[in-house]
Amino acid sequence: MLQQLPSNSLPFLFPRFELCEAQNMRRVLILCAVLAVIGTEMTVAQPQNGCALPDGLSRAIAVKHPNSHVVTLDDLNQDDQTLFQKEHGSSCPGLTRVDFYGDGKPTFALVLLRADGEKAELVIAHQLQNQWQTISLDTAESSVPVVWTEKPGKYGDVYGEKTLNAIRPVVVLCGYNSWAIVYAWTGKQVEKIWVRD
């Protein structure tokens, strides 16, 4: 049962309440400062993970391509890591944003690596009316290729037999020290050309 304190004891309690309140305020401020620092570090760290997919796309890929992940630097051997970073800095080797269809809608080219590492797949993901549509352009067996985008232009094949006149940005899929393929949307279909073999 609670006892009523004599009224003459209240002046002695006020300093204690003020002290407790000050300590609680101090704890709250410290907690806020810690959370702000953690939040800042998380915000800074997130953009460095350039291999993270937007939420809706991440779900679509998980459903359509289970047991696969976007190629990261860790998936590449040391030589390929060095080459990629020299040419593309801190970009993700398995993901690039590209206006492939020329409509300005969110579009990504991504290289998905199966969990067993036996097969990589080049996928174009295009957002239309808040839904992601994906198409598979190619596969690579027993290698881990990287992807990036290049400007529209004229591309000649490695054999000097064929040219590709791209009017939109193109996607390049590359197996370092081995091969490279350029993919372009013609307005009706995707065309590809081997620029290195």
Side-chain angles (χ1 to χ4, degrees):
M1 183 171 196
L2 291 174
Q3 292 182 343
Q4 181 106 15
L5 292 171
S7 59
N8 60 356
S9 68
L10 290 178
F12 296 107
L13 291 177
F14 286 131
R16 289 185 186 159
F17 285 135
E18 288 175 6
L19 179 62
C20 285
E21 197 172 315
Q23 287 175 338
N24 284 340
M25 182 61 82
R26 189 171 147 224
R27 286 186 188 119
V28 168
L29 289 173
I30 290 171
L31 179 61
C32 288
V34 168
L35 291 175
V37 169
I38 291 171
T40 302
E41 287 178 7
M42 288 171 70
T43 304
V44 170
Q46 203 168 2
Q48 291 175 349
N49 182 7
C51 294
L53 299 173
D55 285 338
L57 178 54
S58 182
R59 285 190 296 276
I61 293 298
V63 168
K64 214 168 179 184
H65 302 274
N67 302 319
S68 295
H69 68 273
V70 173
V71 168
T72 66
L73 278 175
D74 292 338
D75 295 312
L76 305 178
N77 65 43
Q78 189 61 48
D79 291 340
D80 290 357
Q81 284 182 18
T82 303
L83 283 169
F84 186 82
Q85 287 178 315
K86 182 179 177 184
E87 295 175 357
H88 305 284
S90 61
S91 297
C92 177
L95 178 68
T96 187
R97 189 175 187 127
V98 57
D99 190 13
F100 192 67
Y101 297 103
D103 61 5
K105 296 190 186 308
T107 308
F108 294 91
L110 46 147
V111 179
L112 299 175
L113 186 63
R114 279 195 345 205
D116 60 13
E118 293 289 319
K119 182 179 174 185
E121 184 174 4
L122 175 63
V123 173
I124 298 291
H126 188 213
Q127 189 178 34
L128 294 172
Q129 299 171 351
N130 297 325
Q131 289 194 356
W132 289 96
Q133 296 181 353
T134 61
I135 60 166
S136 176
L137 293 188
D138 222 334
T139 58
E141 303 285 337
S142 303
S143 68
V144 182
V146 298
V147 67
W148 67 84
T149 184
E150 293 287 344
K151 294 178 181 177
K154 187 175 181 178
Y155 294 87
D157 77 347
V158 69
Y159 311 109
E161 298 171 356
K162 183 179 174 185
T163 58
L164 178 63
N165 292 311
I167 58 172
R168 296 171 183 86
V170 300
V171 171
V172 180
L173 183 67
C174 176
Y176 277 121
N177 298 316
S178 183
W179 52 269
I181 307 170
V182 170
Y183 301 84
W185 176 252
T186 65
K188 295 180 181 178
Q189 64 185 16
V190 176
E191 288 188 8
K192 74 178 187 179
I193 191 168
W194 290 77
V195 293
R196 187 170 54 194
D197 191 9

